Amino acid sequence: MTAVLSPGLLAAGDPTLATHLAVHGPLRPPAPDAVADLAAAHGLTGRGGAGFPVAVKLRAVAGAAHAGRRRAVVVGNGAEGEPAAHKDAVLLARAPHLVLDGLQLVAAATGADDAVLAVPGPVVAVLERHLAERADPVPVRLVAVPDRFLAGEESALVSVVDGGPPLPRSKRPPVRERGVAGRPSLVQNVETLARLALLARGDRRAAAGVLVTRHAAGLPVDVADVPLTARLDAVLPLATGVQAVLVGGYHGSWLTVGTAAGVTLEPAELAGVGAALGAGVLAALPEDRCGLVETARVVGHLAEQSAGRCGPCLNGLPRIAAALQALARPGPPHPGLLADLGRWCGLVVGRGACSHPDGSVRLVASALRVFEPELAVHASGCCRARPGTAPFLPLGSGA
Ligand SMILES: Cc1cc2nc3c(=O)[nH]c(=O)nc-3n(C[C@H](O)[C@H](O)[C@H](O)COP(=O)(O)O)c2cc1C
Ligand code: SF4
């Protein structure tokens, strides 16, 4: 794919410590107090989905640890439960030492004496070998995370680290106050940690880039490190044969090609068109697929993956998924189904213990906007999807 790319995070050709040091040089850590200042000065935000300022979280966890006279725990989040995202997997495979450097930086900044790197099970053995090459001041524990959409949500991840199920818990008390083993905990996405490690080496561009997983028909799915100032149509080919663009992933938003082609990846610009980078997924839906069918399939998966603990997931998401599946089938829908769907979507927003229902409904709402003309096509008994084509959006292992 043609794009405005900078090697940045993925610059090292192989993941060994020797190559890491040759490409990036040794890490000369700033004073612990200066790490949050560094993140603040460069406006570094989290790359796990919510885009929260790193400095604010570092200071909050350090403050909670100080106030409670308990040592903090830091957790690198490499769970990547989003089936369409591969950026964290590629980062851990290509530049594990940047992630591990970042983990040490946040451990120093929060005064933590326990550092955890939580990753999919198959990666643990590989990372064990990379860890063995290092002499880190704060020992790092590797924890295997199950392959579930929700496992990377921060309270679910804390539960996994503590030996529990991969399920979110209520937001109170927050993880920053009571997380791993009841201690103040910082959960930070692995890309965020790697960007911090580059910033600490004086690479000022590190905070202004993002790893994206790109999906486009006829091209291999790939991961690229792109500047936030890049235009979306320079990162993803949109000129011909594309019907709509999914930005952010399965908690993200569909955009029309016209809208997508007019924006850069800057968070404020994406917010202006109702989108966010989320898990860094960019997918160009080809003309011969149906956006309603693709979305219905994904929302069915999201409903299945929910913990079903809170009302919105227990009652709301399965109904929403079933309604979307009915609208995606050719033929006139049940009268009032579209209105019911809109009402159910409104009812779940803001009501879950985590933002899974909100994210799922965001995707549904954007699909109903962007694929509105398809609703009439389906009601008349047709569908634009070419018969026999495989689904475009992946649902992960076995789905
Ligand atoms: C349903 C759900 C799934 C999530 N999955 C992930 C994930 O796989 N990896 C991740 O880094 N963050 C994930 N997050 C975001 C985390 O809760 C948390 O905000 C993030 O790890 C913090 O790191 P950051 O500030 O560096 O982005 C998820 C959030 C939700 C609501
Ligand atoms: S909102 Fe859904 S996914 Fe989140 S904690 Fe409640 S039941 Fe689980």
Side-chain angles (χ1 to χ4, degrees):
M1 290 185 201
T2 52
V4 194
L5 303 180
S6 66
L9 288 188
L10 307 177
D14 74 66
T16 60
L17 185 60
T19 304
H20 167 71
L21 292 174
V23 172
H24 298 294
L27 178 66
R28 294 195 180 79
D33 287 351
V35 177
D37 294 343
L38 180 73
H42 293 277
L44 181 64
T45 52
R47 297 296 195 266
F52 197 77
V54 173
V56 174
K57 251 161 77 165
L58 284 173
R59 290 180 182 134
V61 173
H66 182 73
R69 298 183 186 195
R70 302 200 70 184
R71 298 292 292 272
V73 180
V74 291
V75 182
N77 189 350
E80 199 160 59
E82 161 78 52
H86 306 295
K87 61 150 187 119
D88 293 341
V90 167
L91 177 65
L92 287 165
R94 301 252 310 256
H97 291 289
L98 276 181
V99 175
L100 291 166
D101 285 352
L103 197 57
Q104 291 298 318
L105 286 169
V106 295
T110 55
D113 63 352
D114 185 15
V116 177
L117 185 54
V119 293
V123 188
V124 169
V126 183
L127 285 170
E128 257 162 16
R129 289 197 288 278
H130 295 310
L131 263 178
E133 291 188 279
R134 303 168 59 95
D136 285 319
V138 178
V140 176
R141 294 189 281 142
L142 293 169
V143 169
V145 187
D147 182 14
R148 302 249 332 167
F149 190 87
L150 292 172
E153 192 277 340
E154 67 171 2
S155 65
L157 197 67
V158 163
S159 169
V160 170
V161 172
D162 280 342
L167 301 177
R169 63 153 159 84
S170 87
K171 291 190 187 83
R172 300 258 151 232
V175 162
R176 66 173 181 277
E177 287 170 17
R178 283 181 69 83
V180 175
R183 292 161 58 181
S185 300
L186 177 87
V187 176
Q188 210 81 70
N189 172 258
V190 288
E191 181 189 345
T192 316
L193 294 172
R195 293 199 177 277
L196 187 63
L198 284 184
L199 275 185
R201 288 176 162 90
D203 182 346
R204 305 168 71 86
R205 294 166 311 166
V210 64
L211 290 179
V212 291
T213 309
R214 304 184 290 181
H215 299 253
L219 294 170
V221 176
D222 73 354
V223 171
D225 188 6
V226 296
L228 292 168
T229 50
R231 284 171 55 106
L232 211 158
D233 63 357
V235 178
L236 201 61
L238 301 181
T240 52
V242 177
Q243 185 192 159
V245 181
L246 178 64
V247 177
Y250 297 167
H251 278 179
S253 306
W254 288 105
L255 298 179
T256 62
V257 173
T259 303
V263 290
T264 69
L265 300 180
E266 294 283 6
E269 224 170 294
L270 286 176
V273 295
L277 274 172
V281 172
L282 299 175
L285 182 71
E287 293 278 7
D288 63 355
R289 311 300 168 94
C290 172
L292 290 176
V293 170
E294 294 286 338
T295 309
R297 194 168 149 270
V298 167
V299 174
H301 178 68
L302 295 177
E304 270 170 27
Q305 292 283 308
S306 89
R309 280 179 165 176
C310 319
C313 279
L314 200 58
N315 306 314
L317 288 190
R319 278 189 197 188
I320 290 168
L324 205 56
Q325 270 148 21
L327 290 170
R329 274 193 292 274
H334 191 271
L337 184 63
L338 191 57
D340 283 345
L341 176 57
R343 197 163 43 80
W344 294 332
C345 285
L347 284 173
V348 304
V349 172
R351 300 247 168 87
C354 78
S355 59
H356 183 54
D358 301 40
S360 306
V361 160
R362 187 179 311 124
L363 181 72
V364 175
S366 71
L368 294 177
R369 262 194 321 272
V370 169
F371 303 119
E372 191 188 2
E374 301 303 318
L375 290 169
V377 174
H378 279 234
S380 72
C382 302
C383 174
R384 71 186 294 152
R386 193 153 48 85
T389 45
F392 181 64
L393 296 173
L395 294 189
S397 46

